[in-house]
Amino acid sequence: MRLPLAALALLATSCATTQHPPAGTDADTVAWWGITGDLSSDAMEGRDTGSAGYDRAAKYVAERFAKAGLQPAGENSTWFQTLPLQELRVEKEGTSFELVSNLHGVGDRVLSATTTTTLEFLRDITVRPIRSLPSQLDASLAFRGYCSPQEMTEVEESVVVCFGSRRAGVTTAVQRLDAAAKAGAAAIINVDDAGFNIEPPRWPEAYARALSFRESSVVSYPRMPAMRLSSEGFATMMNQYRENAAAILPDDDLPSVLAIAESGHSAAAILKAGAASQPLPSFDIPTRLRATFNQSVRQLQSDNILAILPGTDPVLKEEFVIVSAHLDGYGYGEPVNGDALYNGAFDDAAYVATLIRLAERQAGRGFKRSVLFAAYTGEEKGLLGSTWFASHLTIPKEKIAAVVNLDQLRPLFPLKILTMHAIDDTTLVNNVRRVADAMGIEIRPDLEPERNLNQRTDHWPFLRMGVPATNFVFGFDPGTEAEKRYREWYQTRYHRPQDDMNQPLDWGAARDMNTFLYRLVEDIANDPIRPSFVAGSPSAPN
């Protein structure tokens, strides 16, 4: 059923507590916040890809685009581009993880003790859905430090336990999967690096769910069960290791017992050494992991929303500036502090709202170049919407002048610094600096490259295909109040139900960010010089 715009707005106002703009807030920011509230209200159910709530949000966006005077740019002269998708989901019911130790016949002693410890799915441990996920797993555990190829020895048919994967110089998840597969391992577990506070690990996971295109024949990673373990879950595993390792030794082997106790093979010692990028030991854990997986498969679909503001210049109107944001969120998931609805206000309803406000401000009045507005689905599931659009364009590729994406923007503190992704790749930096300089905003490169943010949002498929593209992040100086607010948001609200309309924000920063985007799109769309790649750029097309 397609609800009219008025009915959707009425539903949206039924959500819980909302942070209201203070007196004196400018009209544009008030309107922007109202649209953000509509899109992130409980009525939209978190806008999970393929859900009824997402469909309601998509229709809302299309109706707002239409009222603003845009033209449909989807399939068959509609506002929508449909993605055919397949979902793999590891269901909470019927999935379990246990650490099991059976102690029998050590030396001349007969032991029959069995120790079983449960790891809670989505709170202590999770698993990535894959097509070849077995229904059961029962294998011994082997800790192999950072899981480099050199460390991946004697792990055949074992579950390999690895520390972290995100620090500079440490094997990546793909590299260790390759090494584990070549060594004949049964599965792999990556242990959270609790010391990686640039983007700290958070639990619980919302769910274990993966989406892909139905037509895809590509075998994606991982090719074996790949799990993620919290530092608390790792402490549970290691406590059992120490107890069992001591228990299987003869009573009179006191030196060996002491050696185990002092070996540093404890969760605290390993997490501390790993956080300091120090060498880690390799050792077998006298415990088995027994897991049962209940995985479901279903077919679904979800839409990108595409609209055009036609250009006015006789020549430049044939070129397009794409301005985009992702509409999807996480929907319903594992509860956090009693709340199971992941509303996704700043991620990324707020910047779909910016697209709508840009369209409404123009009210059908075009720039010299045409502007294509794109609200993507499936970003949270792997840039699905932007990847699909980039490979199924509704406009000619050679006519795309630039892409400006809106994501990873959190107006939590005054806007003084912006990180620009792909800053050294294209001449878009000239447009960006022209606008930023006039507003007193400093433009910086990404100072935290280990987070790999440049490849984690919807401008990336276009940059990869040879189109000048960028995305921005609020920047800060180390040790400042701005950094404190930024880190706190990632710890407590990122991909959590607490990213809602009741969270704190800096109203001036929201105004300035939207103003910056409005002016940047105008600058690029009216610039007689088309953006291009810089010579020597690693992202430049061949």
Side-chain angles (χ1 to χ4, degrees), residues 309-373:
L309 177 64
T312 60
D313 185 89
V315 176
L316 293 181
K317 70 179 181 180
E318 300 300 322
E319 297 179 0
F320 293 85
V321 176
I322 297 176
V323 58
S324 60
H326 72 88
L327 180 60
D328 66 300
Y330 273 80
Y332 289 101
E334 191 71 4
V336 179
N337 298 329
D339 189 353
L341 181 55
Y342 292 60
N343 297 86
F346 282 173
D347 191 13
D348 196 31
Y351 293 98
V352 175
T354 300
L355 298 187
I356 292 173
R357 284 300 300 146
L358 174 59
E360 291 175 342
R361 288 164 60 92
Q362 292 304 121
R365 298 184 301 272
F367 306 108
K368 291 182 179 180
R369 287 188 176 87
S370 298
V371 177
L372 188 144
F373 293 71

Side-chain angles (χ1 to χ4, degrees), residues 55-268:
D55 291 343
R56 284 195 291 275
K59 291 173 183 176
Y60 173 96
V61 172
E63 291 186 6
R64 295 294 293 245
F65 280 167
K67 286 187 66 176
L70 301 186
Q71 298 177 6
E75 299 166 337
N76 302 316
S77 300
T78 70
W79 302 97
F80 306 108
Q81 180 185 50
T82 301
L83 281 64
L85 301 171
Q86 175 178 267
E87 176 196 75
L88 299 177
R89 184 176 189 133
V90 181
E91 305 287 354
K92 192 171 182 183
E93 184 176 351
T95 297
S96 62
F97 299 83
E98 292 181 333
L99 300 172
V100 181
S101 298
N102 296 298
L103 310 179
H104 301 287
V106 178
D108 58 358
R109 302 169 62 198
V110 177
L111 300 176
S112 59
T114 300
T115 302
T116 302
T117 303
T118 299
L119 295 173
E120 189 173 358
F121 182 40
L122 300 178
R123 293 185 176 268
D124 293 321
I125 192 169
T126 189
V127 62
R128 180 175 173 182
I130 54 172
R131 292 170 184 163
S132 58
L133 190 69
S135 59
Q136 293 184 324
L137 177 66
D138 185 349
S140 59
L141 295 166
F143 185 79
R144 292 297 183 266
Y146 299 107
C147 288
S148 65
Q150 295 76 22
E151 294 170 298
M152 203 73 72
T153 59
E154 298 181 7
V155 297
E156 189 172 0
E157 298 184 2
S158 295
V159 175
V160 186
V161 183
C162 311
F163 176 83
S165 64
R166 302 190 63 183
R167 289 180 179 271
V170 173
T171 51
T172 66
V174 171
Q175 289 171 333
R176 56 184 51 175
L177 278 165
D178 279 337
K182 290 176 181 177
I188 195 166
I189 296 178
N190 286 309
V191 178
D192 275 353
D193 180 354
F196 191 81
N197 59 11
I198 292 176
E199 192 173 320
R202 294 160 306 277
W203 291 85
E205 290 278 359
Y207 38 65
R209 180 172 179 238
L211 294 180
S212 61
F213 303 128
R214 289 183 214 167
E215 65 182 29
S216 176
S217 59
V218 177
V219 178
S220 60
Y221 287 97
R223 296 172 295 182
M224 64 174 67
M227 292 160 276
R228 176 181 166 227
L229 185 65
S230 70
S231 54
E232 290 80 8
F234 184 56
T236 299
M237 179 184 293
M238 291 305 299
N239 286 340
Q240 190 159 335
Y241 156 76
R242 291 165 69 84
E243 293 171 3
N244 293 334
I248 62 175
L249 293 169
D251 290 337
D252 58 357
D253 197 354
L254 183 59
S256 296
V257 175
L258 291 175
I260 290 171
E262 297 173 358
S263 67
H265 293 354
S266 69

Side-chain angles (χ1 to χ4, degrees), residues 402-425:
V403 173
V404 176
N405 189 62
L406 316 182
D407 192 9
Q408 304 169 349
L409 296 164
R410 325 288 182 223
L412 306 170
F413 45 85
L415 179 57
K416 303 296 184 183
I417 303 167
L418 270 179
T419 292
M420 178 183 177
H421 289 143
I423 189 172
D424 296 323
D425 288 297

Side-chain angles (χ1 to χ4, degrees), residues 472-489:
F472 302 94
V473 181
F474 268 60
F476 49 82
D477 288 319
T480 60
E481 177 65 20
E483 180 183 21
K484 178 181 176 181
R485 294 183 189 180
Y486 184 89
R487 304 292 188 209
E488 186 274 340
W489 192 88

Side-chain angles (χ1 to χ4, degrees), residues 393-406:
L393 289 169
T394 59
I395 56 175
K397 174 190 170 183
E398 64 274 10
K399 297 297 184 180
I400 305 175
V403 173
V404 176
N405 189 62
L406 316 182

Side-chain angles (χ1 to χ4, degrees), residues 34-53:
I35 299 168
T36 302
D38 289 348
L39 288 173
S40 63
S41 74
D42 290 357
M44 300 301 185
E45 300 181 296
R47 311 181 310 281
D48 197 5
T49 301
S51 70

